[in-house]
Amino acid sequence: MTLPHFSQAMSPDRAHTGPEPGEMRVRTWHLGDDRQSLVLASRNNRLPEVVYWGPPVGGSSIDEIAAAARYDVTGGMQDEIAPLSLSPEASMTFQGQTGLTARNLDGEVIAPAFLFSHEEKQQNTLKLVYQDNGLGLSLTLDLELTPHTSLFKLRTRLDSREDISVDWLAAPVLPAPDHTDEMIEFSGRWCSELLTRRLPFAPGARVRDNRTGRTDHAHFPGLIVCSKSASNTTGEAYAFHYGWSGGHKMVVEELADGRRHVQFGHASGTMEKGKSFETATLYATYSAQGFNGAAVRFQRHVRDHLVAETRQTRPVHYNCWEAVYFDHDVDELKSIASLAADLGAERFVLDDGWFGHRDDDTTSLGDWVIDPRKFPDGLTPLIDHVKSLGLEFGIWFEPEMINKDSDLFRAHPDWLLGALDQTPGRQQFALDMSRNDVRDYLYDHIAAILETNDIGYIKWDHNRVLPVADAGQAEGVYALIDRLRRVFTAVEIESCASGGARIDFGILERTQRVWLSDSNDALERQRIQHDAALFLPASVTGSHVGPRKCHTSGRIFDIRFRAWTAAQRHMGFEMDPRELTGEEVDVLKEVTRWWKDNRDWMMQADILRLDSADPAVTAEQHLAEDGERFVAFAAQMRTSDQTLPRPLRLTGLDASATYRVSLANRNDAPRLSRGEPLLKSRDIDVSGQYLMSHGVVLPWRFPDTIWVLEGHKL
């Protein structure tokens, strides 16, 4: 694999002056590696535009590419086509969404005409600075291509000599290439996160403006641009993620002239007044290997370069929430911890209800002191018991929130974010995290718990949308977590926000795990996990074996389906272990042992989504870093339309190698599977080409079951 390289070319240098009459000066830059190339061109010292984004351009002249990319002009158009630059400008008569919308303090619209000032370049980074001296504005465009994961990291910064109001500032704007047909966007809701929708391009703008104040269930900040024929394993894909936890705006626009572009930035109304404004990082990549090509780059970047340091071996997780809710009794919790340890748990997390007078969700948020009614001797007796079992102890906080029935609110009603008479969410309100005194209070109380108790893990929750869209809220959360992490370096943090309402690369720079959904319904989890794999690796994605009857859907699933679903990610339990039958205990122990035996390589594996020929089957393949082994999970989500199972085609294998393939759970075949497919009785030795072209013939099975295939290269 070659490292990213940077090249730049320019006609005779007149960096700070305009061209001679009739002369067109063109600057060009190339940022690329052996997987993709991005070519920029700037004409007459104006803002650069992307003239090529796709497979590596190799030895092609980037000057020639820039020249060849120029469009014609015809009737009904301006005499020159306005550049679709990294920040499209109204001053260039750009007809679509501009990259900057700003006003002076008199309310007059500012239309800057930025000109090249200077650049800074290294092997894989490029900083371009443009200025409008008359308006006292400077625009800095930061572009980086990550050397190992081939992701573009893009940021825009605006600096002003005077105070101005900024309504919109886009991260560097990228084109949606003309040969693409569709976009895949993400929506969702509580307990059904990361829903995907494939939409055709059409004239006009598709705008998603998330003003909830957090990433949100309904607005995961991702996008994939592709052709109609693109799939998990084939075709071209252009993928985007905006790494910001405070709400974002996405604009995907097709202009009247046919050009298309993609913009990401903070949610509307969050920039406001000032002299300096900056976007979060926009991550983007091109894949020639379908959605999986982009997904693997995102997964590897999160796992290996973004997430704060994690332990190599991920512990089996137990969370007591769905066992006891707010009803905390020390002896009962000790008993549950013992049962969880016997099942194979290695971490015990005490969830909501340990502080203040927290007997339900109407009270005590903000009062981060141990409840002496429930824990008369503090947390020490429970922690000592948990530690004696060989388990790590973790604890739940919801630092950003407050109940009006709390000592904190009675002392500081002014710390509330928004109006006092606002509508509550889940009986609670938000603290103003932009305030230093609020963050100091929270730090002191959280630190006091961590300093006086042996705690290795925090579940950090966020259970309501915010009453106002405020970038300062997310910045304040970042500052608080960063401060805690500097002092309590060994404590891991999970980002939870009613499940998956705050999952983004901004929060993942500061945490080691995300709670993907409050739904422990294994059927819903299969879909959510599958779509989350477009961006997230298994190592940071919590997945728990829920109760027999799911508390959020009311459905009942067999323990095998629940356990194998959790085993596809960072495995844990979140049920009352006292409800388990002897058979369920045996199955859960067996699957947990399997996960422990495989977790070290699986947590470093690439998750490849499989293109199942049967739409009733959701399947994915975890391929080891060295390519020597894999495991594939094929979940039967409903009854198939045809009688016989369609062969499951794998991907990413060495076509010329031979693999031994086994069925890890072949004993789960039901009685109605009356035939003799080979995998029911023994392993098979076949080529990678066969596995990818024909696929594996699996036994028939009922809905809500999973086959688990293991493969090793011989």
Side-chain angles (χ1 to χ4, degrees), residues 2-7 30-33 120-126 143-147:
T2 60
L3 293 176
H5 60 271
F6 166 88
S7 57
H30 174 215
L31 202 57
D33 57 15
E120 299 173 18
K121 59 181 184 291
Q122 297 178 6
Q123 185 174 21
N124 62 326
T125 64
L126 173 64
L143 301 91
E144 177 185 354
L145 182 58
T146 58

PDB file of all heavy atoms in Angstrom, residues 2-7 30-33 120-126 143-147:
ATOM      1  N   THR A   2       0.629   2.134  -0.914  1.00  0.00           N
ATOM      2  CA  THR A   2       1.417   3.365  -0.952  1.00  0.00           C
ATOM      3  C   THR A   2       0.786   4.407  -0.045  1.00  0.00           C
ATOM      4  O   THR A   2      -0.412   4.410   0.206  1.00  0.00           O
ATOM      5  CB  THR A   2       1.494   3.921  -2.374  1.00  0.00           C
ATOM      6  OG1 THR A   2       0.172   4.205  -2.823  1.00  0.00           O
ATOM      7  CG2 THR A   2       2.137   2.919  -3.313  1.00  0.00           C
ATOM      8  N   LEU A   3       1.624   5.286   0.457  1.00  0.00           N
ATOM      9  CA  LEU A   3       1.135   6.369   1.289  1.00  0.00           C
ATOM     10  C   LEU A   3       0.511   7.445   0.433  1.00  0.00           C
ATOM     11  O   LEU A   3       0.811   7.569  -0.756  1.00  0.00           O
ATOM     12  CB  LEU A   3       2.287   6.947   2.113  1.00  0.00           C
ATOM     13  CG  LEU A   3       2.882   6.027   3.171  1.00  0.00           C
ATOM     14  CD1 LEU A   3       4.075   6.713   3.825  1.00  0.00           C
ATOM     15  CD2 LEU A   3       1.861   5.645   4.220  1.00  0.00           C
ATOM     16  N   PRO A   4      -0.364   8.261   1.012  1.00  0.00           N
ATOM     17  CA  PRO A   4      -0.917   9.378   0.253  1.00  0.00           C
ATOM     18  C   PRO A   4       0.200  10.282  -0.251  1.00  0.00           C
ATOM     19  O   PRO A   4       1.234  10.446   0.388  1.00  0.00           O
ATOM     20  CB  PRO A   4      -1.789  10.110   1.282  1.00  0.00           C
ATOM     21  CG  PRO A   4      -2.063   9.105   2.335  1.00  0.00           C
ATOM     22  CD  PRO A   4      -0.882   8.201   2.367  1.00  0.00           C
ATOM     23  N   HIS A   5      -0.011  10.856  -1.421  1.00  0.00           N
ATOM     24  CA  HIS A   5       0.977  11.785  -1.942  1.00  0.00           C
ATOM     25  C   HIS A   5       0.290  13.076  -2.341  1.00  0.00           C
ATOM     26  O   HIS A   5      -0.899  13.113  -2.617  1.00  0.00           O
ATOM     27  CB  HIS A   5       1.725  11.181  -3.136  1.00  0.00           C
ATOM     28  CG  HIS A   5       0.825  10.822  -4.282  1.00  0.00           C
ATOM     29  ND1 HIS A   5       0.233   9.580  -4.379  1.00  0.00           N
ATOM     30  CD2 HIS A   5       0.420  11.535  -5.365  1.00  0.00           C
ATOM     31  CE1 HIS A   5      -0.499   9.539  -5.496  1.00  0.00           C
ATOM     32  NE2 HIS A   5      -0.406  10.700  -6.100  1.00  0.00           N
ATOM     33  N   PHE A   6       1.057  14.107  -2.323  1.00  0.00           N
ATOM     34  CA  PHE A   6       0.551  15.446  -2.623  1.00  0.00           C
ATOM     35  C   PHE A   6       1.360  16.008  -3.778  1.00  0.00           C
ATOM     36  O   PHE A   6       2.576  15.860  -3.839  1.00  0.00           O
ATOM     37  CB  PHE A   6       0.718  16.345  -1.399  1.00  0.00           C
ATOM     38  CG  PHE A   6       0.546  17.803  -1.702  1.00  0.00           C
ATOM     39  CD1 PHE A   6      -0.696  18.375  -1.656  1.00  0.00           C
ATOM     40  CD2 PHE A   6       1.634  18.591  -2.051  1.00  0.00           C
ATOM     41  CE1 PHE A   6      -0.858  19.717  -1.923  1.00  0.00           C
ATOM     42  CE2 PHE A   6       1.474  19.927  -2.329  1.00  0.00           C
ATOM     43  CZ  PHE A   6       0.226  20.492  -2.257  1.00  0.00           C
ATOM     44  N   SER A   7       0.705  16.602  -4.716  1.00  0.00           N
ATOM     45  CA  SER A   7       1.430  17.308  -5.769  1.00  0.00           C
ATOM     46  C   SER A   7       0.680  18.582  -6.093  1.00  0.00           C
ATOM     47  O   SER A   7      -0.514  18.707  -5.868  1.00  0.00           O
ATOM     48  CB  SER A   7       1.562  16.431  -7.020  1.00  0.00           C
ATOM     49  OG  SER A   7       0.295  16.020  -7.488  1.00  0.00           O
ATOM     50  N   HIS A  30      -3.091  17.840  -6.179  1.00  0.00           N
ATOM     51  CA  HIS A  30      -3.523  16.441  -6.188  1.00  0.00           C
ATOM     52  C   HIS A  30      -3.226  15.827  -4.834  1.00  0.00           C
ATOM     53  O   HIS A  30      -2.098  15.876  -4.349  1.00  0.00           O
ATOM     54  CB  HIS A  30      -2.787  15.662  -7.287  1.00  0.00           C
ATOM     55  CG  HIS A  30      -3.059  14.180  -7.265  1.00  0.00           C
ATOM     56  ND1 HIS A  30      -2.109  13.252  -7.599  1.00  0.00           N
ATOM     57  CD2 HIS A  30      -4.178  13.490  -6.948  1.00  0.00           C
ATOM     58  CE1 HIS A  30      -2.623  12.034  -7.486  1.00  0.00           C
ATOM     59  NE2 HIS A  30      -3.883  12.158  -7.093  1.00  0.00           N
ATOM     60  N   LEU A  31      -4.245  15.247  -4.224  1.00  0.00           N
ATOM     61  CA  LEU A  31      -4.100  14.517  -2.976  1.00  0.00           C
ATOM     62  C   LEU A  31      -4.627  13.115  -3.231  1.00  0.00           C
ATOM     63  O   LEU A  31      -5.808  12.942  -3.577  1.00  0.00           O
ATOM     64  CB  LEU A  31      -4.910  15.209  -1.877  1.00  0.00           C
ATOM     65  CG  LEU A  31      -4.539  14.970  -0.416  1.00  0.00           C
ATOM     66  CD1 LEU A  31      -3.084  15.336  -0.135  1.00  0.00           C
ATOM     67  CD2 LEU A  31      -5.456  15.772   0.494  1.00  0.00           C
ATOM     68  N   GLY A  32      -3.754  12.101  -3.114  1.00  0.00           N
ATOM     69  CA  GLY A  32      -4.212  10.767  -3.455  1.00  0.00           C
ATOM     70  C   GLY A  32      -3.294   9.675  -2.967  1.00  0.00           C
ATOM     71  O   GLY A  32      -2.200   9.914  -2.448  1.00  0.00           O
ATOM     72  N   ASP A  33      -3.744   8.420  -3.123  1.00  0.00           N
ATOM     73  CA  ASP A  33      -2.958   7.241  -2.794  1.00  0.00           C
ATOM     74  C   ASP A  33      -3.305   6.160  -3.811  1.00  0.00           C
ATOM     75  O   ASP A  33      -3.779   6.482  -4.913  1.00  0.00           O
ATOM     76  CB  ASP A  33      -3.211   6.794  -1.350  1.00  0.00           C
ATOM     77  CG  ASP A  33      -4.677   6.500  -1.040  1.00  0.00           C
ATOM     78  OD1 ASP A  33      -5.472   6.356  -1.987  1.00  0.00           O
ATOM     79  OD2 ASP A  33      -5.031   6.402   0.149  1.00  0.00           O
ATOM     80  N   GLU A 120       0.021  25.763   2.711  1.00  0.00           N
ATOM     81  CA  GLU A 120       0.966  24.940   3.449  1.00  0.00           C
ATOM     82  C   GLU A 120       0.711  23.499   3.040  1.00  0.00           C
ATOM     83  O   GLU A 120      -0.429  23.052   3.036  1.00  0.00           O
ATOM     84  CB  GLU A 120       0.764  25.096   4.961  1.00  0.00           C
ATOM     85  CG  GLU A 120       0.961  26.509   5.481  1.00  0.00           C
ATOM     86  CD  GLU A 120       0.585  26.637   6.944  1.00  0.00           C
ATOM     87  OE1 GLU A 120       0.512  25.589   7.632  1.00  0.00           O
ATOM     88  OE2 GLU A 120       0.344  27.773   7.394  1.00  0.00           O
ATOM     89  N   LYS A 121       1.770  22.792   2.684  1.00  0.00           N
ATOM     90  CA  LYS A 121       1.578  21.427   2.213  1.00  0.00           C
ATOM     91  C   LYS A 121       2.638  20.511   2.793  1.00  0.00           C
ATOM     92  O   LYS A 121       3.778  20.891   3.033  1.00  0.00           O
ATOM     93  CB  LYS A 121       1.610  21.374   0.691  1.00  0.00           C
ATOM     94  CG  LYS A 121       2.889  21.876   0.039  1.00  0.00           C
ATOM     95  CD  LYS A 121       2.780  21.786  -1.474  1.00  0.00           C
ATOM     96  CE  LYS A 121       4.081  22.189  -2.163  1.00  0.00           C
ATOM     97  NZ  LYS A 121       4.343  23.637  -2.017  1.00  0.00           N
ATOM     98  N   GLN A 122       2.184  19.277   3.066  1.00  0.00           N
ATOM     99  CA  GLN A 122       3.065  18.191   3.432  1.00  0.00           C
ATOM    100  C   GLN A 122       2.678  16.996   2.580  1.00  0.00           C
ATOM    101  O   GLN A 122       1.884  17.131   1.646  1.00  0.00           O
ATOM    102  CB  GLN A 122       2.953  17.888   4.933  1.00  0.00           C
ATOM    103  CG  GLN A 122       3.388  19.054   5.824  1.00  0.00           C
ATOM    104  CD  GLN A 122       3.229  18.753   7.301  1.00  0.00           C
ATOM    105  OE1 GLN A 122       2.891  17.638   7.684  1.00  0.00           O
ATOM    106  NE2 GLN A 122       3.466  19.761   8.127  1.00  0.00           N
ATOM    107  N   GLN A 123       3.202  15.821   2.925  1.00  0.00           N
ATOM    108  CA  GLN A 123       2.983  14.684   2.041  1.00  0.00           C
ATOM    109  C   GLN A 123       1.509  14.362   1.857  1.00  0.00           C
ATOM    110  O   GLN A 123       1.074  14.054   0.758  1.00  0.00           O
ATOM    111  CB  GLN A 123       3.715  13.452   2.573  1.00  0.00           C
ATOM    112  CG  GLN A 123       3.636  12.252   1.625  1.00  0.00           C
ATOM    113  CD  GLN A 123       4.483  11.097   2.097  1.00  0.00           C
ATOM    114  OE1 GLN A 123       4.825  11.014   3.264  1.00  0.00           O
ATOM    115  NE2 GLN A 123       4.829  10.202   1.198  1.00  0.00           N
ATOM    116  N   ASN A 124       0.743  14.421   2.943  1.00  0.00           N
ATOM    117  CA  ASN A 124      -0.658  14.025   2.832  1.00  0.00           C
ATOM    118  C   ASN A 124      -1.625  15.074   3.384  1.00  0.00           C
ATOM    119  O   ASN A 124      -2.776  14.780   3.648  1.00  0.00           O
ATOM    120  CB  ASN A 124      -0.891  12.690   3.555  1.00  0.00           C
ATOM    121  CG  ASN A 124      -0.602  12.771   5.036  1.00  0.00           C
ATOM    122  OD1 ASN A 124       0.290  13.498   5.455  1.00  0.00           O
ATOM    123  ND2 ASN A 124      -1.348  12.027   5.828  1.00  0.00           N
ATOM    124  N   THR A 125      -1.157  16.301   3.584  1.00  0.00           N
ATOM    125  CA  THR A 125      -2.029  17.379   4.057  1.00  0.00           C
ATOM    126  C   THR A 125      -1.838  18.618   3.203  1.00  0.00           C
ATOM    127  O   THR A 125      -0.758  18.865   2.654  1.00  0.00           O
ATOM    128  CB  THR A 125      -1.744  17.739   5.525  1.00  0.00           C
ATOM    129  OG1 THR A 125      -0.415  18.246   5.638  1.00  0.00           O
ATOM    130  CG2 THR A 125      -1.929  16.535   6.429  1.00  0.00           C
ATOM    131  N   LEU A 126      -2.902  19.379   3.121  1.00  0.00           N
ATOM    132  CA  LEU A 126      -2.885  20.615   2.341  1.00  0.00           C
ATOM    133  C   LEU A 126      -3.740  21.642   3.055  1.00  0.00           C
ATOM    134  O   LEU A 126      -4.887  21.368   3.423  1.00  0.00           O
ATOM    135  CB  LEU A 126      -3.445  20.353   0.937  1.00  0.00           C
ATOM    136  CG  LEU A 126      -3.668  21.563   0.033  1.00  0.00           C
ATOM    137  CD1 LEU A 126      -2.351  22.252  -0.298  1.00  0.00           C
ATOM    138  CD2 LEU A 126      -4.387  21.134  -1.247  1.00  0.00           C
ATOM    139  N   LEU A 143      -7.292  20.134   4.226  1.00  0.00           N
ATOM    140  CA  LEU A 143      -7.564  18.853   3.587  1.00  0.00           C
ATOM    141  C   LEU A 143      -6.462  17.875   3.968  1.00  0.00           C
ATOM    142  O   LEU A 143      -5.272  18.203   3.879  1.00  0.00           O
ATOM    143  CB  LEU A 143      -7.634  18.980   2.062  1.00  0.00           C
ATOM    144  CG  LEU A 143      -8.685  19.928   1.483  1.00  0.00           C
ATOM    145  CD1 LEU A 143      -8.111  21.324   1.314  1.00  0.00           C
ATOM    146  CD2 LEU A 143      -9.187  19.410   0.143  1.00  0.00           C
ATOM    147  N   GLU A 144      -6.862  16.687   4.372  1.00  0.00           N
ATOM    148  CA  GLU A 144      -5.901  15.648   4.733  1.00  0.00           C
ATOM    149  C   GLU A 144      -6.402  14.313   4.216  1.00  0.00           C
ATOM    150  O   GLU A 144      -7.606  14.025   4.253  1.00  0.00           O
ATOM    151  CB  GLU A 144      -5.731  15.579   6.249  1.00  0.00           C
ATOM    152  CG  GLU A 144      -4.807  14.468   6.718  1.00  0.00           C
ATOM    153  CD  GLU A 144      -4.735  14.333   8.231  1.00  0.00           C
ATOM    154  OE1 GLU A 144      -5.317  15.193   8.918  1.00  0.00           O
ATOM    155  OE2 GLU A 144      -4.114  13.372   8.709  1.00  0.00           O
ATOM    156  N   LEU A 145      -5.481  13.488   3.724  1.00  0.00           N
ATOM    157  CA  LEU A 145      -5.800  12.114   3.363  1.00  0.00           C
ATOM    158  C   LEU A 145      -5.069  11.207   4.338  1.00  0.00           C
ATOM    159  O   LEU A 145      -3.834  11.207   4.395  1.00  0.00           O
ATOM    160  CB  LEU A 145      -5.381  11.804   1.923  1.00  0.00           C
ATOM    161  CG  LEU A 145      -5.721  10.400   1.413  1.00  0.00           C
ATOM    162  CD1 LEU A 145      -7.215  10.126   1.503  1.00  0.00           C
ATOM    163  CD2 LEU A 145      -5.240  10.222  -0.027  1.00  0.00           C
ATOM    164  N   THR A 146      -5.833  10.451   5.134  1.00  0.00           N
ATOM    165  CA  THR A 146      -5.204   9.631   6.173  1.00  0.00           C
ATOM    166  C   THR A 146      -4.338   8.559   5.523  1.00  0.00           C
ATOM    167  O   THR A 146      -4.762   7.881   4.577  1.00  0.00           O
ATOM    168  CB  THR A 146      -6.260   8.987   7.078  1.00  0.00           C
ATOM    169  OG1 THR A 146      -7.142   8.189   6.291  1.00  0.00           O
ATOM    170  CG2 THR A 146      -7.061  10.058   7.801  1.00  0.00           C
ATOM    171  N   PRO A 147      -3.109   8.361   6.007  1.00  0.00           N
ATOM    172  CA  PRO A 147      -2.149   7.520   5.302  1.00  0.00           C
ATOM    173  C   PRO A 147      -2.481   6.040   5.294  1.00  0.00           C
ATOM    174  O   PRO A 147      -2.090   5.333   4.370  1.00  0.00           O
ATOM    175  CB  PRO A 147      -0.828   7.779   6.041  1.00  0.00           C
ATOM    176  CG  PRO A 147      -1.212   8.323   7.363  1.00  0.00           C
ATOM    177  CD  PRO A 147      -2.503   9.046   7.166  1.00  0.00           C
TER     178      PRO A 147
END
